[in-house]
Amino acid sequence: MTDRRPFVGGNWKMNTNRTTGSDLARGVTDGLIGVDGVETAVFPPFPYLLTVRAILRDRGSSVRLGAQDNAFQNDGAFTGEVSLAMLKDCGTQVVLCGHSERRHVLGEKDETVNRKLRAVLEAGLEGVLCVGETLDERTAGHQDIVTARQVRTGLADIPASVADRLIIAYEPVWAIGTGKTATPQDAQEAHSQIRQLLARLFGPDSANRVRIIYGGSLKPDIAAAIFAQPDVDGGLVGGASLNAADFVAICKAAAASARGK
Ligand code: PGA
């Protein structure tokens, strides 16, 4: 039996506009009415945070508002950056840190990811630390080392007391947006290794409270098998989160999986 409540996030990335994002937010909130046992969030692009927030609020929805990135500085001359104070002002409750596209496309380093995650947690928000190996790293058999390094460095100077507000997203880079998913067994193995590492860093009780979610081409038809694994506590969904019915189906699969654990 686990007390961990599954979490499913919809990472819209640099997609949607004011109209399609609003339609999507309405579709998601309506589809999730009456669905319990899963914490859900949407991560729209920055310019639409307030629009989506208004929709979530008007509908009294429990869907949380997420941001895809944050600055670790409080304010000042950082052109193009968005601070946590601004994100909180817009109603953001949860933030993604170190998504693979930020690491591999935009060159974000482990140390930067750590500073961002620390800032998110110090601001009292929920933080999602994204980790995962590339295809080359996997082919070379280095997936465990890479993931462990990203978790260790990402969590440097972060206390165990934040376990309830910390989520780790294991997202193998070769599975993101490619239509390839990890097998349920591969996902379980990676998640279990991450939890063992968390137990060394935080102690077993806190490690058992951290949600570890899977990301990488999650679709409704495979979600149940992945979520059934004992150390998989939900998912981070990219492409399929742009379709309200698919995202809702994945959230329902997570809620159902929790009932069986
Ligand atoms: P995907 O993206 O579901 O499109 O593979 C997942 C992610 O990047 O979080």
Side-chain angles (χ1 to χ4, degrees):
M1 247 331 252
T2 169
D3 293 338
R4 294 187 298 273
R5 188 176 159 83
F7 175 98
V8 179
N11 176 10
W12 296 1
K13 307 191 180 185
M14 201 170 71
N15 296 300
T16 69
N17 58 32
R18 203 145 49 94
T19 306
T20 59
S22 300
D23 288 346
L24 184 53
R26 281 189 283 265
V28 167
T29 48
D30 290 354
L32 286 173
I33 289 172
V35 177
D36 297 322
V38 57
E39 187 178 316
T40 56
V42 289
F43 296 83
F46 289 139
Y48 307 131
L49 281 172
L50 285 174
T51 307
V52 173
R53 179 207 207 185
I55 291 167
L56 300 182
R57 268 200 169 174
D58 286 354
R59 291 170 183 240
S61 177
S62 61
V63 176
R64 298 164 90 72
L65 185 65
Q68 299 174 17
D69 186 33
N70 62 284
F72 55 79
Q73 301 91 343
N74 291 333
D75 50 37
F78 301 103
T79 301
E81 292 291 276
V82 177
S83 74
L84 279 160
M86 294 169 189
L87 292 176
K88 282 174 86 168
D89 203 18
C90 294
T92 301
Q93 296 152 294
V94 45
V95 186
L96 300 182
C97 296
H99 187 276
S100 81
E101 285 141 23
R102 300 212 58 86
R103 291 177 189 268
H104 298 293
V105 182
L106 299 161
E108 215 164 273
K109 298 273 176 284
D110 286 335
E111 289 69 21
T112 308
V113 175
N114 172 250
R115 293 180 81 170
K116 291 186 173 189
L117 180 62
R118 270 175 17 217
V120 168
L121 294 167
E122 276 160 20
L125 303 186
E126 275 185 289
V128 183
L129 170 64
C130 303
V131 301
E133 79 283 358
T134 64
L135 184 58
D136 284 352
E137 288 161 344
R138 189 176 188 83
T139 310
H142 293 160
Q143 66 267 27
D144 299 343
I145 303 171
V146 171
T147 306
R149 189 204 70 226
Q150 291 173 337
V151 172
R152 248 179 216 291
T153 319
L155 295 182
D157 299 321
I158 289 176
S161 56
V162 299
D164 293 328
R165 288 189 289 117
L166 174 66
I167 295 169
I168 299 198
Y170 171 64
E171 301 200 285
V173 180
W174 49 269
I176 295 180
T178 58
K180 294 186 190 132
T181 35
T183 63
Q185 293 70 27
D186 282 346
Q188 168 56 24
E189 200 178 311
H191 285 225
S192 152
Q193 300 224 349
I194 292 171
R195 200 171 309 282
Q196 286 168 35
L197 174 55
L198 287 174
R200 291 198 289 281
L201 297 172
F202 283 171
D205 289 350
S206 298
N208 276 332
R209 298 212 311 275
V210 175
R211 268 93 45 100
I212 307 178
I213 63 175
Y214 170 82
S217 297
L218 260 181
K219 302 282 181 288
D221 56 339
I222 50 148
I226 293 196
F227 295 161
Q229 301 304 312
D231 284 298
V232 179
D233 307 313
L236 186 58
V237 189
S241 75
L242 297 173
N243 177 299
D246 284 353
F247 182 67
V248 167
I250 294 171
C251 294
K252 287 181 177 172
S257 77
R259 291 195 285 274
K261 284 186 185 168

